[in-house]
Amino acid sequence: DSDSPKWDFFGYVENENFFGIDTTNTTADNAAKNEFIKLEARSRLNARYGTNFFYAKAVLDLYFYPETALTNPVAAGLIDPYEFYIAAGKSLQFKIGKIVYNWGSADAFRITNYFDQRDLRELFMKEEDERYRGSYSTSLKYLLGDFSFEGVAVASLNPVLFPDSGSYWVITPSLQDGVQPVLHTT
C-alpha cells in the first residue's frame, strides 16, 4: 500500500585512475611536479524513506583516496552530501534541505541553473552528476499538467569550487609572446 512508509536504497561504486606526465619541462628538478596521478574510489548511496506524500531523501557521495591513506589516513576518506532534504506534497510540493535544482540543460554550463553550486575542481574529467552540488534551500513547487512553477529561498549562494593551487587542473593566466593572456593548466 502506498500510504505506509518504506525504505528505498540504491547506489553504485566506481574507481577512477588517471595518470599523466607533462613533457614540456623534463628536468630532474621538475619531474615529480609534472606527474599527474589520480587514484579515487567513489560510491554514491541513494536512500529514501517515507510515503509518496511525505518522505526524506539523502544522496551521499563517499570518496576514498588510496594515495592519501599512506600519509594521512584521516584525510583519505570524504563524505559529501549531494542532496539531503525532507519533502511533502503532490501537486503542491514543499522541500527543505540541501537540494539540487536541475533547471535547464546544456553540455557544459547550465546558465539557467542559478542555485546549484558548480564544482570545477576537475575541469573535463567530472561526470555530469558531479559538476553540480546542491544548495541549502527551501522550495515550493506547483505542478500544473506539463508545467511547473517553483519558488526557491536560499540563505546564501555557494561559491564555485575551483581547483586548489597544487592541483593538476588549476588554471593560471600567463603571457605568451608578451601579447595576449592565455589560460593553460600547470
Side-chain angles (χ1 to χ4, degrees):
D1 139 334
S2 64
D3 290 337
S4 61
K6 66 176 186 169
W7 281 99
D8 288 321
F9 288 103
F10 62 95
Y12 59 86
V13 176
E14 69 181 3
N15 190 23
E16 291 184 3
N17 300 310
F18 301 115
F19 305 95
I21 297 175
D22 180 5
T23 58
T24 58
N25 191 358
T26 58
T27 63
D29 295 337
N30 292 323
K33 77 175 188 181
N34 291 334
E35 295 177 2
F36 168 65
I37 299 173
K38 177 188 176 187
L39 303 173
E40 175 185 283
R42 174 179 168 237
S43 172
R44 175 163 282 184
L45 172 65
N46 289 283
R48 184 182 185 275
Y49 178 74
T51 64
N52 288 336
F53 183 78
F54 182 77
Y55 62 93
K57 181 177 179 181
V59 181
L60 302 174
D61 287 332
L62 298 97
Y63 295 92
F64 177 69
Y65 303 99
E67 77 278 6
T68 307
L70 299 174
T71 58
N72 187 354
V74 175
L78 171 68
I79 298 174
D80 186 11
Y82 179 73
E83 282 191 301
F84 192 83
Y85 62 84
I86 296 172
K90 294 245 184 210
S91 61
L92 182 62
Q93 299 175 351
F94 173 78
K95 291 182 186 176
I96 186 167
K98 186 172 186 181
I99 305 166
V100 173
Y101 298 95
N102 290 316
W103 292 357
S105 63
D107 290 333
F109 301 104
R110 296 183 216 147
I111 59 171
T112 56
N113 195 349
Y114 183 70
F115 297 107
D116 291 338
Q117 181 180 33
R118 288 172 182 80
D119 187 353
L120 302 177
R121 289 177 288 189
E122 292 175 20
L123 296 177
F124 302 108
M125 303 304 281
K126 281 205 175 282
E127 295 184 29
E128 174 118 15
D129 65 339
E130 290 183 277
R131 286 189 208 136
Y132 292 91
R133 311 306 292 174
S135 59
Y136 292 99
S137 56
T138 303
S139 165
L140 186 63
K141 183 190 284 188
Y142 181 65
L143 302 172
L144 183 63
D146 291 338
F147 299 97
S148 66
F149 302 95
E150 186 169 18
V152 175
V154 179
S156 67
L157 293 176
N158 297 314
V160 174
L161 297 172
F162 288 108
D164 293 331
S165 62
S167 168
Y168 177 80
W169 297 106
V170 70
I171 296 176
T172 56
S174 67
L175 289 175
Q176 189 173 46
D177 298 329
V179 178
Q180 172 180 347
V182 176
L183 294 178
H184 66 88
T185 60
T186 59

